[in-house]
Amino acid sequence: MLRGRSEKGHWFGTVIDAPDPQALGMFYHAVLGWEIHKNEPTEFTLAVPGNSETYLAFQAQTSAPWARPVWPAVEGEQQMMMHLDIEVGDLDAAVAHAVELGATLAEFQPQKDVRVLLDPAGHPFCLYADG
């Protein structure tokens, strides 16, 4: 463990840049079912139910104008910097529901039991079948 961290009481999470933090946060709230912890104009945070120290946050990008990621990567274009993997029991049903919620099925699919989708802001995320 990193020196300076205590075993309990420190938050750990992932922050995703978005052109509209609330819209993207509500999309992932619907996908994951996690609790809304913070809903402010420049930050939206979801916390894992029963574990308020683990979170997924969405913030307005302020360092440069928003550039939608491209999947698959294209030289000279904004590449994805990370992606979320979400395990599901029924891949077809989960993909259909994610699309209903606003995701787009990516054209390029590199694996048989994984589906790459793009969230409403263009970030790739993967749904994969358990087992």
Side-chain angles (χ1 to χ4, degrees):
M1 179 171 11
L2 183 67
R3 279 193 303 265
R5 282 186 49 98
S6 66
E7 290 188 28
K8 186 173 181 183
H10 288 275
W11 281 66
F12 175 82
T14 299
V15 179
I16 299 174
D17 289 344
D20 183 341
Q22 284 74 29
L24 194 58
M26 288 304 294
F27 169 79
Y28 280 104
H29 171 63
V31 167
L32 299 171
W34 292 6
E35 299 169 357
I36 297 172
H37 178 75
K38 186 185 287 186
N39 187 353
E40 296 180 359
T42 59
E43 183 180 4
F44 187 99
T45 305
L46 299 173
V48 175
N51 178 355
S52 64
E53 296 173 355
T54 305
Y55 66 91
L56 181 61
F58 307 88
Q59 295 179 349
Q61 182 174 337
T62 58
S63 60
W66 172 254
R68 190 177 173 96
V70 176
W71 171 258
V74 175
E75 188 173 337
E77 298 289 329
Q78 176 63 50
Q79 296 180 17
M80 72 171 183
M81 301 300 289
M82 50 75 70
H83 70 274
L84 301 176
D85 285 340
I86 303 168
E87 183 181 51
V88 299
D90 183 330
L91 187 57
D92 292 334
V95 168
H97 191 207
V99 169
E100 286 175 26
L101 295 171
T104 303
L105 185 63
E107 190 173 312
F108 177 63
Q109 297 293 328
Q111 295 170 281
K112 179 182 159 203
D113 294 331
V114 177
R115 293 296 174 272
V116 179
L117 292 103
L118 307 175
D119 70 22
H123 301 102
F125 68 98
C126 295
L127 300 178
Y128 67 95
D130 61 0

